[in-house]
Amino acid sequence: MADGEPSGAYREFKALVEAADRKFARARDLPLYGGGDHHSRKAFKAYTRLWRLQQDRRRDLVAAGLRRWEIGEVASRIGQLYYARYLRTAEPRSLVGAYVFYEAIYSRGYFAAPAPANASASAAAGGGAKHQGLLIRYKELRFIARFLVVAMLMRRAEAVDHLVARLRSLVQESKSAYPKTNFKEWKQVLQELDRFLKADGAYKGSRSLRYDNLFDSYASNLASIARFHSKRVLKLKEAVLTSYHRNEVKFTELTLDTFRMLQSLEWEPTGSYQIAVKELTENGTMSDQSGPSGLIDIHLSTEISDGNLPSNPQRAIIYHPTVSHLIAVLATICEELSQDSILLIYISASGLADQNAYHKYASSSSSRLRPASAFSINKPNSHTGSDDHVWLGPRGNGGPNNLYPEDLIPFTRYPLFLVIDSENSHAFKAGHT
C-alpha cells in the first residue's frame, strides 16, 4: 500500500498536468482582445489545483520521480497566464504576479540542469538523457526571455542587467555543451535585446512613462474638463496598439513603440501600492524553504490592488498585422464598446513602402485602384501617390497593405482617439482627406 501510494500521486499529477496543458493551449491560442477570458480562468483553476497537489504531496511526488524542471514548468505556465492577463486587462497586480512566479523560478533554479561537460560524460549519460537536457535548456532560455520582458515592464533595472548577463552566458554554455545544435536564433535574440535596451534606456532610473497624477496633472485644465464632463462623461476603456516597420527595434514580439505606448496608458501606482509590491517581491517568500517544490502562493496578486486610482484601459497589442487583420480587430473591439467608452488607436508605421513595388502596382492596375473617396474629391489639400497612407506589410509588397484614412472612417461612429506615428500622419488629420 505504501509502495503504491507515491506512484498513485504521480499518476494523478501527470493526469492533472495533461488537463491543465490542454486548457493552457486553448487560452494561449486565443487573441488577447474580445471574448475568451473564460479560457484563461479555466486554465488558472486547473493550475491552482495542480500547484496545490504538488505542495501537499511533494514528498511522495519527488520519491516517485518528480523532477525540478517539471515543477518549474508548472510555475512558468502560471507566470505566463498572469502576464497574458496583464496584457488583456492592464491590471498591475497581474504583472506583479508574473514577476513573483518568474523570480521564484529563477532564484530556485528549477530549470538549471548540469550540461554534459565532455564526450565521456555525454556517452555515460546516454543519448536520451542528453536530448532531454537540451530540451530543458531550451525551456530555460525561453523562460529567461519571458522574465526579461516582465522585468523591463516592472522597471527592475538590476534584474534586467542580471538576466541579460545570464542569458548571454547561457547561450555560450549551450553552444559549448551541445556543439551539434545550432543556437543561431538565440544569438539573434541577444542582438535584438541589445538594440532594444540601447534604444530604450528608460529602464535605467529615469522617470516612469506611466501617468503620474502628481506630476502629470495640470490644474489649468480642470475647469475645461469639468465643463466637458457636465455634458457627457467619456472614459478611455479600450486601446489598440500596433507597430510595423522594417528592421524595427523589438524584443520577442514587443516592439519599442508599443512597449512605450502601453506604459503611457497606465497609471503610475501610488506609494502604498509600490511598498506592498516591494515587500512582496523582495521579502523572505522568495527564499527556498520547502525543498524541491517551493511555497509560492498562487493567490498572491489578488491581494494587491490600488484603490486610489481608476483602472487602466484594456489593450490589444498587435504585432505586425496586415491591414485586413487590423480592421478585423477594430471591428471586434467596437462590437463590445459601451456608449461611454473611448477607443484609442495607436499605429506606428512607415509611409514609405517599397517604392518600386508601389509604382509597379499603381501602373499595372491603375484601372483597379481604390475608388476616389467622397472625402477627398475636389479638395485642395488632397494627397495622391505615396503620401496618403501608412504601410503595413512585408518588404516588397505594396498596395494591398496600404492603410488609408478612409479605412478607419467606419470606426468614427464611436468616440475615437487616433494616434498615427508616421511621416505620413498628416494624411489622417480631420478634414485633410
Side-chain angles (χ1 to χ4, degrees):
M1 189 74 176
D3 293 337
E5 194 170 337
S7 59
Y10 192 67
R11 284 197 301 269
E12 182 183 359
F13 178 84
K14 284 294 188 180
L16 290 177
V17 166
E18 292 178 3
D21 286 350
R22 287 194 297 269
K23 292 180 173 63
F24 178 85
R26 284 193 288 268
R28 178 192 56 199
D29 293 340
L30 287 172
L32 294 172
Y33 56 86
D37 192 44
H38 63 284
H39 288 290
S40 176
R41 291 194 295 269
K42 286 183 178 180
F44 260 114
K45 186 176 180 179
Y47 279 104
T48 300
R49 183 180 176 189
L50 181 60
W51 192 256
R52 285 176 176 168
L53 173 66
Q54 71 85 24
Q55 284 183 320
D56 294 340
R57 308 193 66 178
R58 59 185 178 274
R59 291 183 179 177
D60 293 340
L61 291 170
V62 171
L66 182 67
R67 289 154 292 186
R68 290 182 64 83
W69 70 263
E70 293 179 279
I71 301 169
E73 183 77 357
V74 174
S76 178
R77 292 288 175 88
I78 296 171
Q80 291 176 61
L81 288 170
Y82 272 124
Y83 178 65
R85 177 186 286 180
Y86 163 73
L87 291 180
R88 179 187 290 273
T89 66
E91 293 178 350
R93 62 187 183 183
S94 296
L95 184 63
V96 174
Y99 184 90
V100 169
F101 268 86
Y102 285 163
E103 202 281 337
I105 296 167
Y106 184 77
S107 63
R108 295 165 185 172
Y110 282 135
F111 289 118
N118 49 53
S120 59
S122 300
K130 185 175 181 179
H131 177 68
Q132 185 180 70
L134 179 60
L135 294 179
I136 297 172
R137 179 58 56 88
Y138 276 124
K139 290 178 184 292
E140 186 175 8
L141 288 167
R142 290 192 293 267
F143 158 71
I144 293 178
R146 296 188 188 104
F147 191 7
L148 264 166
V149 174
V150 173
M152 288 189 289
L153 288 167
M154 289 280 291
R155 298 179 57 79
R156 297 301 178 93
E158 292 184 6
V160 170
D161 290 340
H162 181 78
L163 289 169
V164 170
R166 176 55 185 157
L167 183 61
R168 185 170 286 109
S169 65
L170 194 61
V171 171
Q172 293 298 324
E173 292 172 13
S174 302
K175 289 165 59 180
S176 300
Y178 305 99
K180 295 183 179 180
T181 303
N182 189 350
F183 290 92
K184 182 178 179 180
E185 70 276 14
W186 285 102
K187 290 191 287 185
Q188 182 178 351
V189 168
L190 287 173
Q191 292 172 358
E192 289 183 353
L193 179 60
D194 290 339
R195 286 185 66 206
F196 190 97
L197 295 178
K198 183 178 180 180
D200 180 42
Y203 82 100
K204 286 285 189 179
S206 60
R207 244 201 75 194
S208 172
L209 295 174
R210 294 178 172 89
Y211 186 90
D212 193 311
N213 200 34
L214 180 63
F215 296 103
D216 298 321
S217 296
Y218 297 92
S220 59
N221 294 338
L222 296 180
S224 58
I225 292 174
R227 287 195 300 272
F228 177 77
H229 278 189
S230 65
K231 298 179 181 179
R232 186 179 184 185
V233 178
L234 295 175
K235 298 179 180 179
L236 180 58
K237 292 289 188 67
E238 298 280 352
V240 177
L241 313 178
T242 188
S243 175
Y244 205 138
H245 293 275
R246 291 180 190 166
N247 301 319
E248 65 185 320
V249 178
K250 69 180 185 70
F251 181 57
T252 62
E253 293 189 352
L254 188 63
T255 67
L256 183 63
D257 290 334
T258 53
F259 173 76
R260 289 171 171 172
M261 194 65 186
L262 71 88
Q263 294 177 79
S264 301
L265 293 174
E266 294 179 3
W267 292 90
E268 179 70 16
T270 60
S272 59
Y273 179 89
Q274 291 172 336
I275 292 173
V277 169
K278 183 176 181 180
E279 290 177 350
L280 179 63
T281 58
E282 295 182 2
N283 65 11
T285 60
M286 293 300 97
S287 61
D288 193 349
Q289 301 173 351
S290 55
S293 66
L295 291 172
I296 310 173
D297 185 0
I298 201 170
H299 294 296
L300 52 88
S301 71
T302 61
E303 305 300 326
I304 312 173
S305 60
D306 196 341
N308 297 322
L309 294 176
S311 59
N312 296 319
Q314 296 191 35
R315 303 154 315 200
I317 302 173
I318 315 171
Y319 177 72
H320 284 187
T322 61
V323 171
S324 57
H325 182 205
L326 176 62
I327 293 175
V329 172
L330 293 173
T332 300
I333 292 176
C334 286
E335 280 290 323
E336 302 178 359
L337 205 63
S338 60
Q339 293 295 323
D340 63 341
S341 298
I342 299 174
L343 171 63
L344 183 145
I345 303 175
Y346 172 81
I347 301 173
S348 175
S350 176
L352 305 174
D354 188 326
Q355 294 300 315
N356 293 331
Y358 178 85
H359 292 304
K360 181 179 179 181
Y361 175 87
S363 61
S364 64
S365 57
S366 57
S367 62
R368 294 181 286 109
L369 286 175
R370 62 189 180 92
S373 169
F375 294 90
S376 60
I377 292 178
N378 298 327
K379 288 197 174 184
N381 292 329
S382 178
H383 285 263
T384 59
S386 62
D387 64 346
D388 60 347
H389 63 271
V390 295
W391 180 62
L392 305 176
R395 185 185 181 98
N397 200 354
N401 292 318
N402 295 342
L403 179 72
Y404 296 93
E406 293 90 331
D407 295 326
L408 301 178
I409 285 178
F411 307 108
T412 59
R413 294 184 177 92
Y414 304 88
L416 181 66
F417 193 106
L418 182 62
V419 180
I420 304 295
D421 188 358
S422 172
E423 59 268 63
N424 283 352
S425 59
H426 55 76
F428 290 79
K429 292 176 65 176
H432 194 77
T433 58

Coordinates of all heavy atoms in Angstrom, one line a residue, residues 23-75:
K23 N -6.0 23.1 -21.4 CA -6.6 24.4 -21.1 C -5.7 25.6 -21.4 O -6.1 26.6 -21.9 CB -7.1 24.4 -19.6 CG -8.3 23.4 -19.4 CD -8.7 23.5 -17.9 CE -9.9 22.7 -17.6 NZ -9.7 21.3 -17.9
F24 N -4.4 25.4 -21.0 CA -3.4 26.4 -21.3 C -3.3 26.7 -22.8 O -3.2 27.8 -23.2 CB -2.1 26.0 -20.7 CG -1.0 27.0 -20.9 CD1 -0.8 28.1 -20.1 CD2 -0.1 26.9 -22.0 CE1 0.2 29.0 -20.3 CE2 0.9 27.8 -22.3 CZ 1.1 28.9 -21.4
A25 N -3.3 25.6 -23.6 CA -3.1 25.8 -25.0 C -4.3 26.5 -25.6 O -4.1 27.4 -26.5 CB -3.0 24.4 -25.7
R26 N -5.5 26.2 -25.1 CA -6.7 26.9 -25.6 C -6.6 28.4 -25.2 O -6.9 29.3 -26.0 CB -8.0 26.3 -25.1 CG -8.4 25.0 -25.8 CD -9.8 24.6 -25.4 NE -9.9 24.2 -24.1 CZ -9.8 22.9 -23.7 NH1 -9.5 21.9 -24.6 NH2 -9.9 22.6 -22.4
A27 N -6.2 28.7 -24.0 CA -6.1 30.1 -23.6 C -5.0 30.8 -24.3 O -5.1 32.0 -24.7 CB -5.8 30.2 -22.1
R28 N -3.9 30.2 -24.6 CA -2.7 30.8 -25.3 C -3.1 31.1 -26.7 O -2.6 32.1 -27.3 CB -1.5 29.8 -25.2 CG -0.3 30.3 -25.9 CD 0.7 29.2 -26.0 NE 0.2 28.0 -26.7 CZ 0.7 26.8 -26.6 NH1 1.7 26.6 -25.8 NH2 0.1 25.8 -27.2
D29 N -3.8 30.2 -27.4 CA -4.1 30.4 -28.8 C -5.1 31.5 -29.1 O -5.3 31.9 -30.2 CB -4.5 29.1 -29.4 CG -3.4 28.0 -29.4 OD1 -2.2 28.4 -29.3 OD2 -3.7 26.8 -29.5
L30 N -5.9 31.9 -28.1 CA -6.9 32.9 -28.3 C -6.2 34.3 -28.3 O -5.2 34.6 -27.6 CB -7.9 32.9 -27.2 CG -8.9 31.7 -27.2 CD1 -9.7 31.7 -26.0 CD2 -9.8 31.8 -28.4
P31 N -6.7 35.2 -29.2 CA -6.2 36.6 -29.2 C -6.5 37.3 -27.9 O -7.4 37.0 -27.2 CB -6.9 37.2 -30.4 CG -8.2 36.5 -30.5 CD -7.8 35.0 -30.1
L32 N -5.6 38.3 -27.6 CA -5.7 39.0 -26.3 C -6.7 40.2 -26.5 O -6.4 41.3 -26.0 CB -4.4 39.4 -25.8 CG -3.4 38.3 -25.4 CD1 -2.0 38.8 -25.1 CD2 -3.9 37.5 -24.2
Y33 N -7.8 40.0 -27.1 CA -8.8 41.0 -27.2 C -10.2 40.3 -27.4 O -10.2 39.1 -27.8 CB -8.5 42.0 -28.4 CG -8.4 41.3 -29.7 CD1 -9.5 41.0 -30.5 CD2 -7.1 40.9 -30.2 CE1 -9.3 40.4 -31.7 CE2 -6.9 40.3 -31.4 CZ -8.0 40.0 -32.2 OH -7.9 39.4 -33.4
G34 N -11.2 41.0 -27.2 CA -12.5 40.4 -27.4 C -12.8 39.4 -26.3 O -12.3 39.5 -25.2
G35 N -13.7 38.5 -26.6 CA -14.0 37.4 -25.6 C -12.9 36.4 -25.4 O -11.9 36.4 -26.1
G36 N -13.2 35.4 -24.6 CA -12.2 34.4 -24.4 C -11.5 34.3 -23.1 O -10.7 33.5 -22.8
D37 N -11.8 35.3 -22.2 CA -11.1 35.3 -20.9 C -11.5 34.1 -20.0 O -10.8 33.8 -19.1 CB -11.5 36.6 -20.2 CG -10.6 36.9 -19.0 OD1 -9.3 36.6 -19.1 OD2 -11.1 37.2 -17.9
H38 N -12.7 33.5 -20.3 CA -13.1 32.4 -19.5 C -12.1 31.2 -19.7 O -12.0 30.4 -18.8 CB -14.5 31.9 -19.9 CG -14.7 31.5 -21.3 ND1 -14.7 32.4 -22.4 CD2 -14.8 30.3 -21.9 CE1 -14.8 31.7 -23.5 NE2 -14.9 30.5 -23.3
H39 N -11.5 31.1 -20.9 CA -10.5 30.1 -21.1 C -9.3 30.3 -20.1 O -8.7 29.3 -19.6 CB -10.0 30.0 -22.5 CG -11.0 29.5 -23.5 ND1 -11.4 28.1 -23.5 CD2 -11.8 30.1 -24.4 CE1 -12.3 27.9 -24.4 NE2 -12.6 29.1 -25.0
S40 N -8.9 31.5 -20.0 CA -7.8 31.9 -19.0 C -8.2 31.5 -17.6 O -7.4 31.0 -16.9 CB -7.5 33.4 -19.2 OG -6.5 33.7 -18.2
R41 N -9.4 31.8 -17.2 CA -9.9 31.4 -15.9 C -9.9 29.9 -15.7 O -9.5 29.5 -14.6 CB -11.3 32.0 -15.6 CG -11.3 33.5 -15.5 CD -12.6 34.0 -14.9 NE -13.7 33.7 -15.8 CZ -14.2 34.5 -16.7 NH1 -13.6 35.7 -16.9 NH2 -15.2 34.2 -17.5
K42 N -10.3 29.2 -16.7 CA -10.3 27.7 -16.6 C -8.8 27.2 -16.4 O -8.6 26.3 -15.6 CB -10.9 27.1 -17.8 CG -12.4 27.2 -17.8 CD -13.0 26.5 -19.0 CE -14.5 26.5 -19.1 NZ -15.1 25.8 -20.2
A43 N -7.9 27.8 -17.2 CA -6.5 27.4 -17.1 C -6.0 27.7 -15.7 O -5.3 26.9 -15.1 CB -5.7 28.1 -18.2
F44 N -6.3 28.9 -15.2 CA -5.9 29.3 -13.8 C -6.4 28.3 -12.8 O -5.7 27.9 -11.9 CB -6.4 30.7 -13.5 CG -5.3 31.8 -13.6 CD1 -5.5 32.7 -14.6 CD2 -4.2 31.8 -12.8 CE1 -4.5 33.7 -14.7 CE2 -3.3 32.8 -12.9 CZ -3.4 33.7 -13.9
K45 N -7.7 27.9 -12.9 CA -8.3 27.0 -12.0 C -7.5 25.6 -12.0 O -7.3 25.0 -11.0 CB -9.7 26.8 -12.3 CG -10.5 26.0 -11.3 CD -12.0 25.9 -11.6 CE -12.8 25.0 -10.6 NZ -14.2 25.0 -10.9
A46 N -7.2 25.2 -13.2 CA -6.5 23.9 -13.4 C -5.1 23.9 -12.8 O -4.7 23.0 -12.1 CB -6.5 23.5 -14.9
Y47 N -4.4 25.0 -13.0 CA -3.1 25.1 -12.4 C -3.1 25.4 -10.9 O -2.1 25.0 -10.2 CB -2.3 26.2 -13.2 CG -1.7 25.7 -14.5 CD1 -2.3 26.0 -15.7 CD2 -0.6 24.8 -14.5 CE1 -1.8 25.6 -16.9 CE2 -0.1 24.3 -15.7 CZ -0.7 24.7 -16.9 OH -0.2 24.2 -18.1
T48 N -4.1 26.0 -10.5 CA -4.3 26.1 -9.0 C -4.4 24.7 -8.3 O -3.7 24.5 -7.3 CB -5.5 26.9 -8.7 OG1 -5.4 28.2 -9.2 CG2 -5.7 27.1 -7.1
R49 N -5.2 23.9 -8.9 CA -5.4 22.5 -8.4 C -4.1 21.8 -8.5 O -3.6 21.1 -7.5 CB -6.5 21.8 -9.1 CG -6.8 20.4 -8.6 CD -7.9 19.8 -9.4 NE -8.1 18.4 -9.0 CZ -8.9 17.6 -9.6 NH1 -9.6 18.0 -10.7 NH2 -9.1 16.4 -9.2
L50 N -3.4 21.9 -9.6 CA -2.1 21.2 -9.8 C -1.0 21.7 -8.9 O -0.3 20.9 -8.3 CB -1.7 21.4 -11.3 CG -0.4 20.8 -11.8 CD1 -0.5 19.3 -11.6 CD2 -0.1 21.2 -13.2
W51 N -1.0 23.0 -8.7 CA 0.1 23.5 -7.8 C -0.2 23.1 -6.3 O 0.8 22.8 -5.6 CB 0.1 25.1 -7.9 CG 1.3 25.7 -7.2 CD1 1.3 26.3 -6.0 CD2 2.6 25.6 -7.7 NE1 2.6 26.7 -5.8 CE2 3.4 26.3 -6.8 CE3 3.2 25.1 -8.9 CZ2 4.8 26.5 -7.0 CZ3 4.6 25.3 -9.1 CH2 5.3 26.0 -8.1
R52 N -1.4 23.1 -5.9 CA -1.7 22.6 -4.5 C -1.4 21.2 -4.3 O -1.0 20.8 -3.3 CB -3.2 22.9 -4.2 CG -3.5 24.4 -4.0 CD -5.0 24.6 -3.8 NE -5.2 26.0 -3.5 CZ -6.4 26.6 -3.5 NH1 -7.5 25.8 -3.8 NH2 -6.6 27.8 -3.2
L53 N -1.6 20.4 -5.4 CA -1.3 18.9 -5.3 C 0.2 18.8 -5.0 O 0.6 18.0 -4.2 CB -1.8 18.2 -6.5 CG -1.3 16.7 -6.6 CD1 -2.0 15.9 -5.5 CD2 -1.6 16.1 -8.0
Q54 N 1.0 19.5 -5.8 CA 2.5 19.3 -5.7 C 3.0 19.9 -4.4 O 4.0 19.4 -3.8 CB 3.2 19.9 -6.9 CG 3.2 21.4 -7.0 CD 4.3 22.0 -6.2 OE1 5.4 21.4 -5.9 NE2 4.1 23.2 -5.8
Q55 N 2.2 20.8 -3.8 CA 2.6 21.3 -2.5 C 2.3 20.3 -1.4 O 3.0 20.1 -0.5 CB 2.0 22.7 -2.2 CG 2.6 23.8 -3.0 CD 2.0 25.2 -2.6 OE1 0.7 25.2 -2.5 NE2 2.8 26.2 -2.5
D56 N 1.0 19.8 -1.5 CA 0.5 18.9 -0.4 C 1.2 17.6 -0.4 O 1.4 17.0 0.7 CB -1.0 18.7 -0.6 CG -1.8 20.0 -0.3 OD1 -1.2 21.0 0.3 OD2 -2.9 20.1 -0.8
R57 N 1.6 17.1 -1.6 CA 2.2 15.7 -1.7 C 3.5 15.7 -2.3 O 3.9 14.8 -3.0 CB 1.2 14.8 -2.5 CG -0.2 14.9 -1.9 CD -1.1 13.8 -2.5 NE -0.6 12.5 -2.1 CZ -1.2 11.3 -2.4 NH1 -2.3 11.4 -3.1 NH2 -0.8 10.2 -2.0
R58 N 4.3 16.8 -2.1 CA 5.6 16.9 -2.8 C 6.6 15.8 -2.5 O 7.3 15.4 -3.3 CB 6.2 18.3 -2.6 CG 6.5 18.6 -1.1 CD 7.0 20.1 -1.0 NE 7.2 20.5 0.4 CZ 6.3 21.0 1.2 NH1 5.1 21.1 0.7 NH2 6.6 21.3 2.4
R59 N 6.6 15.3 -1.2 CA 7.5 14.3 -0.8 C 7.2 13.0 -1.6 O 8.1 12.3 -2.1 CB 7.4 14.0 0.7 CG 8.0 15.2 1.5 CD 8.0 14.8 3.0 NE 8.6 15.9 3.8 CZ 8.6 15.9 5.1 NH1 8.2 14.8 5.8 NH2 9.2 16.9 5.7
D60 N 5.9 12.6 -1.7 CA 5.5 11.4 -2.5 C 5.9 11.6 -3.9 O 6.3 10.7 -4.6 CB 4.0 11.2 -2.3 CG 3.6 10.8 -0.9 OD1 4.5 10.4 -0.1 OD2 2.5 10.9 -0.5
L61 N 5.6 12.8 -4.5 CA 5.9 13.0 -5.9 C 7.4 13.0 -6.2 O 7.8 12.4 -7.2 CB 5.3 14.4 -6.3 CG 3.8 14.5 -6.3 CD1 3.3 15.9 -6.5 CD2 3.2 13.6 -7.4
V62 N 8.2 13.6 -5.3 CA 9.6 13.6 -5.5 C 10.2 12.1 -5.4 O 11.0 11.7 -6.2 CB 10.3 14.5 -4.5 CG1 11.9 14.3 -4.6 CG2 10.0 15.9 -4.8
A63 N 9.6 11.4 -4.5 CA 10.0 10.0 -4.3 C 9.6 9.2 -5.5 O 10.3 8.2 -5.9 CB 9.4 9.4 -3.1
A64 N 8.5 9.5 -6.2 CA 8.1 8.8 -7.4 C 8.8 9.3 -8.7 O 8.6 8.7 -9.7 CB 6.6 9.0 -7.5
G65 N 9.7 10.3 -8.6 CA 10.4 10.7 -9.7 C 10.1 12.1 -10.3 O 10.6 12.4 -11.3
L66 N 9.4 12.9 -9.5 CA 9.1 14.2 -10.0 C 10.4 15.1 -10.0 O 11.1 15.1 -9.0 CB 8.1 14.9 -9.1 CG 7.7 16.4 -9.5 CD1 6.9 16.3 -10.8 CD2 6.8 17.0 -8.4
R67 N 10.7 15.7 -11.1 CA 11.9 16.5 -11.3 C 11.6 18.0 -11.1 O 10.5 18.4 -11.3 CB 12.5 16.2 -12.6 CG 13.1 14.8 -12.7 CD 13.1 14.2 -14.1 NE 11.8 14.0 -14.6 CZ 11.5 13.4 -15.8 NH1 12.5 13.0 -16.6 NH2 10.3 13.3 -16.2
R68 N 12.7 18.7 -10.8 CA 12.6 20.1 -10.5 C 12.1 20.9 -11.8 O 11.3 21.8 -11.6 CB 13.9 20.7 -10.0 CG 14.3 20.2 -8.6 CD 15.6 20.9 -8.2 NE 15.5 22.3 -8.1 CZ 15.0 23.0 -7.0 NH1 14.6 22.3 -6.0 NH2 15.0 24.3 -7.0
W69 N 12.5 20.5 -12.9 CA 12.1 21.2 -14.1 C 10.6 21.1 -14.4 O 10.0 22.0 -15.0 CB 12.9 20.8 -15.3 CG 12.7 19.4 -15.9 CD1 13.4 18.3 -15.6 CD2 11.6 19.0 -16.8 NE1 12.9 17.2 -16.3 CE2 11.8 17.7 -17.0 CE3 10.6 19.7 -17.4 CZ2 10.9 17.0 -17.8 CZ3 9.7 19.0 -18.3 CH2 9.9 17.7 -18.5
E70 N 10.0 19.9 -13.9 CA 8.6 19.8 -14.1 C 7.8 20.8 -13.2 O 6.8 21.3 -13.6 CB 8.2 18.3 -13.8 CG 8.7 17.3 -14.7 CD 8.3 15.9 -14.3 OE1 8.9 15.3 -13.5 OE2 7.3 15.4 -14.9
I71 N 8.4 21.0 -12.0 CA 7.7 22.0 -11.1 C 7.9 23.4 -11.7 O 7.0 24.2 -11.7 CB 8.4 21.9 -9.7 CG1 8.2 20.5 -9.1 CG2 7.8 23.0 -8.8 CD1 9.0 20.3 -7.9
G72 N 9.1 23.6 -12.2 CA 9.4 24.9 -12.9 C 8.5 25.1 -14.1 O 8.0 26.3 -14.3
E73 N 8.2 24.1 -14.8 CA 7.3 24.2 -16.0 C 5.9 24.6 -15.5 O 5.2 25.5 -16.1 CB 7.2 22.9 -16.7 CG 6.4 22.9 -18.0 CD 7.1 23.6 -19.1 OE1 8.2 24.1 -19.0 OE2 6.5 23.6 -20.2
V74 N 5.4 24.1 -14.4 CA 4.1 24.4 -13.9 C 4.1 25.9 -13.5 O 3.2 26.7 -13.8 CB 3.6 23.5 -12.7 CG1 2.3 24.0 -12.1 CG2 3.5 22.1 -13.2
A75 N 5.1 26.3 -12.7 CA 5.2 27.7 -12.2 C 5.3 28.6 -13.4 O 4.8 29.7 -13.4 CB 6.3 27.8 -11.3

